[in-house]
Amino acid sequence: MLLELAQWLSRDIRFFSVFNYITLRAVLATLTALGIGLLAGPALIRRLTSMKIGQAVRTDGPQTHLSKSGTPTMGGALILVAIGLATLLWSDLSNRFVWIVLLVTLGFGAIGWVDDYRKVVHRNPAGLSARAKYLWQSLIGAAAAIYLTFAVPAASNAQAWDLLITWIRSGFEMSLPPRADLIVPFFKTVSYPLGALGFMVLTYFVIVGTSNAVNLTDGADGLAIMPSVLVGSALGIFAYVTGNAVFAKYLLIPYVPGAGEMTVFCGAIAGAGLAFLWFNAYPAQVFMGDVGALALGGALGTVAVIVRQEIVLFIMGGVFVAETLSVMLQVSYFKYTKRRYGTGRRIFRMAPLHHHFEVGGVKESQVVVRFWIVTMMLVLFGLSTLKLR
């Protein structure tokens, strides 16, 4: 929006041409989202409190969390508003990737909103059923996967449409250009052709899986938002070099036309996330709820697919992965032992993983900060893949 205005003004005033630089607009998007979040945060918290939209804390969770009962939730709406406005103001709205990532983010946010609303307003503990939630996630994830399968290898929507038609006429067996291959980090020439169907399946699982992983991690004050900021910022760096033909060639990564604009979106994630952390830091004044967690995970997964760094996302989001695996292992082992021995047994004291440490006597604030430190290390390790090949 503002980019178009700046481009129009630059015809007469040369100064405004600086807004063509993605790096500048990414910084401005970060500051805009940060400002929106900090300014709107107190009003949102007061509004949520007056509406009695408070978090219902599980009685079977850590006993230290019982004091949080009634803390306003659904604060993720603040994140979505800040990201959406900052992106619309500073990004190139003619870029095809801007709209798909916004739609995925808002779509997953809408699912989380319905779930949270039923829980805290309608007093329905189940909220949106797991089956219904996964169905809607799958529909959005599948739609995004189909579009990205042909948009990422193409330079424009017209070329993406041609690829789709060619794929259908080929009997759904057409291969995709090399930029759509699965990139293996730390190796110069190792990549695996996925084909159209393979790309769709991978994209679907990355988007839906990341969304649920961030949601599972959101169980302690500040635990999910800071890793989201760190991973999102790192993906912004990947987006910048992936969308630059010179840098992409030098770093031996695929060049994806238009991917650079995701730097602006990632900047908005960073700014909105830091603003939310201001209010979500221990002791939290507001929780993000599913509306924020599902949306952030979907956004990170979508950006990772666009910049062709799915494996690096797995590395940098190691905390999200560990939290998800802890739940999967706990549930699977409990069901197995109950079926075999008649009594369910556990691997962890409690899942997700952060609860395991809390029940073991580690303070919540210590768990959170240590998980942040681990994420910082993993993000730096992920960024090293840009050059270490």
Side-chain angles (χ1 to χ4, degrees), residues 329-348:
L329 289 172
Q330 186 88 319
V331 172
S332 299
Y333 187 69
F334 185 86
K335 289 182 177 179
Y336 168 76
T337 53
K338 186 173 184 179
R339 185 171 59 251
R340 178 162 186 148
Y341 303 110
T343 303
R345 301 175 184 177
R346 294 174 172 82
I347 300 174
F348 305 99

PDB file of all heavy atoms in Angstrom, residues 329-348:
ATOM      1  N   LEU A 329       5.072 -39.482  21.791  1.00  0.00           N
ATOM      2  CA  LEU A 329       5.668 -40.621  22.488  1.00  0.00           C
ATOM      3  C   LEU A 329       4.897 -40.957  23.761  1.00  0.00           C
ATOM      4  O   LEU A 329       4.654 -42.132  24.066  1.00  0.00           O
ATOM      5  CB  LEU A 329       7.126 -40.319  22.832  1.00  0.00           C
ATOM      6  CG  LEU A 329       8.104 -40.278  21.646  1.00  0.00           C
ATOM      7  CD1 LEU A 329       9.469 -39.768  22.100  1.00  0.00           C
ATOM      8  CD2 LEU A 329       8.232 -41.657  21.014  1.00  0.00           C
ATOM      9  N   GLN A 330       4.506 -39.924  24.485  1.00  0.00           N
ATOM     10  CA  GLN A 330       3.778 -40.141  25.738  1.00  0.00           C
ATOM     11  C   GLN A 330       2.452 -40.846  25.497  1.00  0.00           C
ATOM     12  O   GLN A 330       2.122 -41.834  26.165  1.00  0.00           O
ATOM     13  CB  GLN A 330       3.532 -38.790  26.421  1.00  0.00           C
ATOM     14  CG  GLN A 330       2.911 -38.886  27.797  1.00  0.00           C
ATOM     15  CD  GLN A 330       3.953 -39.018  28.892  1.00  0.00           C
ATOM     16  OE1 GLN A 330       4.941 -39.742  28.742  1.00  0.00           O
ATOM     17  NE2 GLN A 330       3.725 -38.333  30.005  1.00  0.00           N
ATOM     18  N   VAL A 331       1.702 -40.350  24.522  1.00  0.00           N
ATOM     19  CA  VAL A 331       0.391 -40.932  24.229  1.00  0.00           C
ATOM     20  C   VAL A 331       0.527 -42.354  23.701  1.00  0.00           C
ATOM     21  O   VAL A 331      -0.191 -43.274  24.119  1.00  0.00           O
ATOM     22  CB  VAL A 331      -0.381 -40.051  23.223  1.00  0.00           C
ATOM     23  CG1 VAL A 331      -1.661 -40.737  22.763  1.00  0.00           C
ATOM     24  CG2 VAL A 331      -0.702 -38.696  23.848  1.00  0.00           C
ATOM     25  N   SER A 332       1.462 -42.544  22.771  1.00  0.00           N
ATOM     26  CA  SER A 332       1.647 -43.864  22.169  1.00  0.00           C
ATOM     27  C   SER A 332       2.083 -44.892  23.209  1.00  0.00           C
ATOM     28  O   SER A 332       1.553 -46.015  23.257  1.00  0.00           O
ATOM     29  CB  SER A 332       2.683 -43.794  21.039  1.00  0.00           C
ATOM     30  OG  SER A 332       2.260 -42.914  20.027  1.00  0.00           O
ATOM     31  N   TYR A 333       3.043 -44.505  24.052  1.00  0.00           N
ATOM     32  CA  TYR A 333       3.548 -45.436  25.060  1.00  0.00           C
ATOM     33  C   TYR A 333       2.484 -45.742  26.106  1.00  0.00           C
ATOM     34  O   TYR A 333       2.356 -46.882  26.569  1.00  0.00           O
ATOM     35  CB  TYR A 333       4.792 -44.851  25.729  1.00  0.00           C
ATOM     36  CG  TYR A 333       5.481 -45.806  26.669  1.00  0.00           C
ATOM     37  CD1 TYR A 333       6.154 -46.932  26.186  1.00  0.00           C
ATOM     38  CD2 TYR A 333       5.465 -45.596  28.054  1.00  0.00           C
ATOM     39  CE1 TYR A 333       6.786 -47.811  27.046  1.00  0.00           C
ATOM     40  CE2 TYR A 333       6.096 -46.473  28.922  1.00  0.00           C
ATOM     41  CZ  TYR A 333       6.756 -47.580  28.405  1.00  0.00           C
ATOM     42  OH  TYR A 333       7.383 -48.454  29.259  1.00  0.00           O
ATOM     43  N   PHE A 334       1.693 -44.732  26.481  1.00  0.00           N
ATOM     44  CA  PHE A 334       0.634 -44.942  27.459  1.00  0.00           C
ATOM     45  C   PHE A 334      -0.405 -45.934  26.933  1.00  0.00           C
ATOM     46  O   PHE A 334      -0.821 -46.856  27.630  1.00  0.00           O
ATOM     47  CB  PHE A 334      -0.038 -43.606  27.797  1.00  0.00           C
ATOM     48  CG  PHE A 334      -1.060 -43.698  28.893  1.00  0.00           C
ATOM     49  CD1 PHE A 334      -0.692 -43.595  30.219  1.00  0.00           C
ATOM     50  CD2 PHE A 334      -2.401 -43.900  28.594  1.00  0.00           C
ATOM     51  CE1 PHE A 334      -1.633 -43.689  31.240  1.00  0.00           C
ATOM     52  CE2 PHE A 334      -3.344 -44.001  29.601  1.00  0.00           C
ATOM     53  CZ  PHE A 334      -2.964 -43.891  30.932  1.00  0.00           C
ATOM     54  N   LYS A 335      -0.814 -45.750  25.668  1.00  0.00           N
ATOM     55  CA  LYS A 335      -1.808 -46.654  25.077  1.00  0.00           C
ATOM     56  C   LYS A 335      -1.251 -48.071  24.927  1.00  0.00           C
ATOM     57  O   LYS A 335      -1.948 -49.058  25.187  1.00  0.00           O
ATOM     58  CB  LYS A 335      -2.244 -46.121  23.711  1.00  0.00           C
ATOM     59  CG  LYS A 335      -3.102 -44.868  23.790  1.00  0.00           C
ATOM     60  CD  LYS A 335      -3.537 -44.413  22.394  1.00  0.00           C
ATOM     61  CE  LYS A 335      -4.454 -43.203  22.476  1.00  0.00           C
ATOM     62  NZ  LYS A 335      -4.862 -42.731  21.129  1.00  0.00           N
ATOM     63  N   TYR A 336       0.024 -48.162  24.527  1.00  0.00           N
ATOM     64  CA  TYR A 336       0.646 -49.474  24.343  1.00  0.00           C
ATOM     65  C   TYR A 336       0.733 -50.232  25.658  1.00  0.00           C
ATOM     66  O   TYR A 336       0.353 -51.409  25.749  1.00  0.00           O
ATOM     67  CB  TYR A 336       2.038 -49.305  23.730  1.00  0.00           C
ATOM     68  CG  TYR A 336       2.862 -50.566  23.759  1.00  0.00           C
ATOM     69  CD1 TYR A 336       2.609 -51.609  22.867  1.00  0.00           C
ATOM     70  CD2 TYR A 336       3.897 -50.709  24.691  1.00  0.00           C
ATOM     71  CE1 TYR A 336       3.360 -52.778  22.907  1.00  0.00           C
ATOM     72  CE2 TYR A 336       4.660 -51.873  24.733  1.00  0.00           C
ATOM     73  CZ  TYR A 336       4.385 -52.906  23.831  1.00  0.00           C
ATOM     74  OH  TYR A 336       5.126 -54.054  23.879  1.00  0.00           O
ATOM     75  N   THR A 337       1.224 -49.568  26.700  1.00  0.00           N
ATOM     76  CA  THR A 337       1.388 -50.245  27.990  1.00  0.00           C
ATOM     77  C   THR A 337       0.034 -50.561  28.634  1.00  0.00           C
ATOM     78  O   THR A 337      -0.098 -51.564  29.335  1.00  0.00           O
ATOM     79  CB  THR A 337       2.228 -49.375  28.935  1.00  0.00           C
ATOM     80  OG1 THR A 337       1.665 -48.052  29.019  1.00  0.00           O
ATOM     81  CG2 THR A 337       3.664 -49.279  28.448  1.00  0.00           C
ATOM     82  N   LYS A 338      -0.945 -49.738  28.401  1.00  0.00           N
ATOM     83  CA  LYS A 338      -2.270 -50.022  28.955  1.00  0.00           C
ATOM     84  C   LYS A 338      -2.882 -51.250  28.290  1.00  0.00           C
ATOM     85  O   LYS A 338      -3.523 -52.077  28.941  1.00  0.00           O
ATOM     86  CB  LYS A 338      -3.184 -48.807  28.764  1.00  0.00           C
ATOM     87  CG  LYS A 338      -4.535 -48.973  29.445  1.00  0.00           C
ATOM     88  CD  LYS A 338      -5.354 -47.700  29.378  1.00  0.00           C
ATOM     89  CE  LYS A 338      -6.655 -47.855  30.151  1.00  0.00           C
ATOM     90  NZ  LYS A 338      -7.463 -46.615  30.127  1.00  0.00           N
ATOM     91  N   ARG A 339      -2.647 -51.350  26.979  1.00  0.00           N
ATOM     92  CA  ARG A 339      -3.169 -52.508  26.254  1.00  0.00           C
ATOM     93  C   ARG A 339      -2.415 -53.774  26.634  1.00  0.00           C
ATOM     94  O   ARG A 339      -3.001 -54.857  26.739  1.00  0.00           O
ATOM     95  CB  ARG A 339      -3.065 -52.254  24.753  1.00  0.00           C
ATOM     96  CG  ARG A 339      -3.691 -53.353  23.888  1.00  0.00           C
ATOM     97  CD  ARG A 339      -3.745 -52.947  22.423  1.00  0.00           C
ATOM     98  NE  ARG A 339      -2.439 -52.657  21.879  1.00  0.00           N
ATOM     99  CZ  ARG A 339      -2.012 -51.444  21.557  1.00  0.00           C
ATOM    100  NH1 ARG A 339      -2.795 -50.397  21.762  1.00  0.00           N
ATOM    101  NH2 ARG A 339      -0.803 -51.257  21.057  1.00  0.00           N
ATOM    102  N   ARG A 340      -1.118 -53.656  26.893  1.00  0.00           N
ATOM    103  CA  ARG A 340      -0.312 -54.840  27.167  1.00  0.00           C
ATOM    104  C   ARG A 340      -0.317 -55.238  28.637  1.00  0.00           C
ATOM    105  O   ARG A 340      -0.368 -56.428  28.964  1.00  0.00           O
ATOM    106  CB  ARG A 340       1.119 -54.582  26.728  1.00  0.00           C
ATOM    107  CG  ARG A 340       2.042 -55.743  27.014  1.00  0.00           C
ATOM    108  CD  ARG A 340       3.309 -55.678  26.219  1.00  0.00           C
ATOM    109  NE  ARG A 340       4.102 -56.860  26.421  1.00  0.00           N
ATOM    110  CZ  ARG A 340       4.896 -57.398  25.520  1.00  0.00           C
ATOM    111  NH1 ARG A 340       4.938 -56.857  24.314  1.00  0.00           N
ATOM    112  NH2 ARG A 340       5.620 -58.448  25.790  1.00  0.00           N
ATOM    113  N   TYR A 341      -0.245 -54.228  29.525  1.00  0.00           N
ATOM    114  CA  TYR A 341      -0.115 -54.552  30.949  1.00  0.00           C
ATOM    115  C   TYR A 341      -1.374 -54.220  31.754  1.00  0.00           C
ATOM    116  O   TYR A 341      -1.440 -54.531  32.937  1.00  0.00           O
ATOM    117  CB  TYR A 341       1.068 -53.785  31.547  1.00  0.00           C
ATOM    118  CG  TYR A 341       2.366 -54.060  30.836  1.00  0.00           C
ATOM    119  CD1 TYR A 341       2.967 -53.078  30.045  1.00  0.00           C
ATOM    120  CD2 TYR A 341       3.005 -55.291  30.949  1.00  0.00           C
ATOM    121  CE1 TYR A 341       4.165 -53.313  29.382  1.00  0.00           C
ATOM    122  CE2 TYR A 341       4.203 -55.539  30.295  1.00  0.00           C
ATOM    123  CZ  TYR A 341       4.782 -54.551  29.505  1.00  0.00           C
ATOM    124  OH  TYR A 341       5.952 -54.791  28.861  1.00  0.00           O
ATOM    125  N   GLY A 342      -2.333 -53.563  31.122  1.00  0.00           N
ATOM    126  CA  GLY A 342      -3.552 -53.204  31.831  1.00  0.00           C
ATOM    127  C   GLY A 342      -3.475 -51.863  32.530  1.00  0.00           C
ATOM    128  O   GLY A 342      -4.493 -51.321  32.962  1.00  0.00           O
ATOM    129  N   THR A 343      -2.280 -51.322  32.644  1.00  0.00           N
ATOM    130  CA  THR A 343      -2.077 -50.015  33.279  1.00  0.00           C
ATOM    131  C   THR A 343      -1.173 -49.170  32.399  1.00  0.00           C
ATOM    132  O   THR A 343      -0.078 -49.614  32.017  1.00  0.00           O
ATOM    133  CB  THR A 343      -1.425 -50.154  34.671  1.00  0.00           C
ATOM    134  OG1 THR A 343      -2.249 -51.005  35.476  1.00  0.00           O
ATOM    135  CG2 THR A 343      -1.297 -48.787  35.344  1.00  0.00           C
ATOM    136  N   GLY A 344      -1.623 -47.968  32.093  1.00  0.00           N
ATOM    137  CA  GLY A 344      -0.823 -47.095  31.245  1.00  0.00           C
ATOM    138  C   GLY A 344       0.397 -46.555  31.969  1.00  0.00           C
ATOM    139  O   GLY A 344       0.320 -46.195  33.148  1.00  0.00           O
ATOM    140  N   ARG A 345       1.526 -46.543  31.295  1.00  0.00           N
ATOM    141  CA  ARG A 345       2.766 -46.018  31.866  1.00  0.00           C
ATOM    142  C   ARG A 345       3.224 -44.810  31.056  1.00  0.00           C
ATOM    143  O   ARG A 345       2.844 -44.645  29.905  1.00  0.00           O
ATOM    144  CB  ARG A 345       3.849 -47.101  31.871  1.00  0.00           C
ATOM    145  CG  ARG A 345       3.451 -48.338  32.662  1.00  0.00           C
ATOM    146  CD  ARG A 345       4.492 -49.436  32.556  1.00  0.00           C
ATOM    147  NE  ARG A 345       4.060 -50.656  33.241  1.00  0.00           N
ATOM    148  CZ  ARG A 345       4.759 -51.778  33.256  1.00  0.00           C
ATOM    149  NH1 ARG A 345       5.937 -51.840  32.619  1.00  0.00           N
ATOM    150  NH2 ARG A 345       4.294 -52.850  33.893  1.00  0.00           N
ATOM    151  N   ARG A 346       4.080 -43.995  31.658  1.00  0.00           N
ATOM    152  CA  ARG A 346       4.517 -42.755  31.013  1.00  0.00           C
ATOM    153  C   ARG A 346       6.031 -42.715  30.855  1.00  0.00           C
ATOM    154  O   ARG A 346       6.764 -43.266  31.673  1.00  0.00           O
ATOM    155  CB  ARG A 346       4.052 -41.546  31.827  1.00  0.00           C
ATOM    156  CG  ARG A 346       2.529 -41.375  31.848  1.00  0.00           C
ATOM    157  CD  ARG A 346       2.117 -40.241  32.789  1.00  0.00           C
ATOM    158  NE  ARG A 346       0.700 -39.946  32.678  1.00  0.00           N
ATOM    159  CZ  ARG A 346      -0.262 -40.618  33.284  1.00  0.00           C
ATOM    160  NH1 ARG A 346       0.048 -41.658  34.054  1.00  0.00           N
ATOM    161  NH2 ARG A 346      -1.526 -40.282  33.131  1.00  0.00           N
ATOM    162  N   ILE A 347       6.451 -42.046  29.799  1.00  0.00           N
ATOM    163  CA  ILE A 347       7.881 -41.814  29.589  1.00  0.00           C
ATOM    164  C   ILE A 347       8.304 -40.550  30.331  1.00  0.00           C
ATOM    165  O   ILE A 347       9.334 -40.522  30.997  1.00  0.00           O
ATOM    166  CB  ILE A 347       8.187 -41.664  28.085  1.00  0.00           C
ATOM    167  CG1 ILE A 347       7.788 -42.926  27.328  1.00  0.00           C
ATOM    168  CG2 ILE A 347       9.665 -41.347  27.868  1.00  0.00           C
ATOM    169  CD1 ILE A 347       7.919 -42.806  25.820  1.00  0.00           C
ATOM    170  N   PHE A 348       7.490 -39.511  30.203  1.00  0.00           N
ATOM    171  CA  PHE A 348       7.776 -38.221  30.842  1.00  0.00           C
ATOM    172  C   PHE A 348       6.850 -38.038  32.054  1.00  0.00           C
ATOM    173  O   PHE A 348       5.777 -38.632  32.128  1.00  0.00           O
ATOM    174  CB  PHE A 348       7.561 -37.073  29.848  1.00  0.00           C
ATOM    175  CG  PHE A 348       8.343 -37.211  28.577  1.00  0.00           C
ATOM    176  CD1 PHE A 348       7.744 -37.703  27.423  1.00  0.00           C
ATOM    177  CD2 PHE A 348       9.684 -36.862  28.531  1.00  0.00           C
ATOM    178  CE1 PHE A 348       8.459 -37.835  26.247  1.00  0.00           C
ATOM    179  CE2 PHE A 348      10.413 -36.995  27.360  1.00  0.00           C
ATOM    180  CZ  PHE A 348       9.802 -37.492  26.209  1.00  0.00           C
TER     181      PHE A 348
END
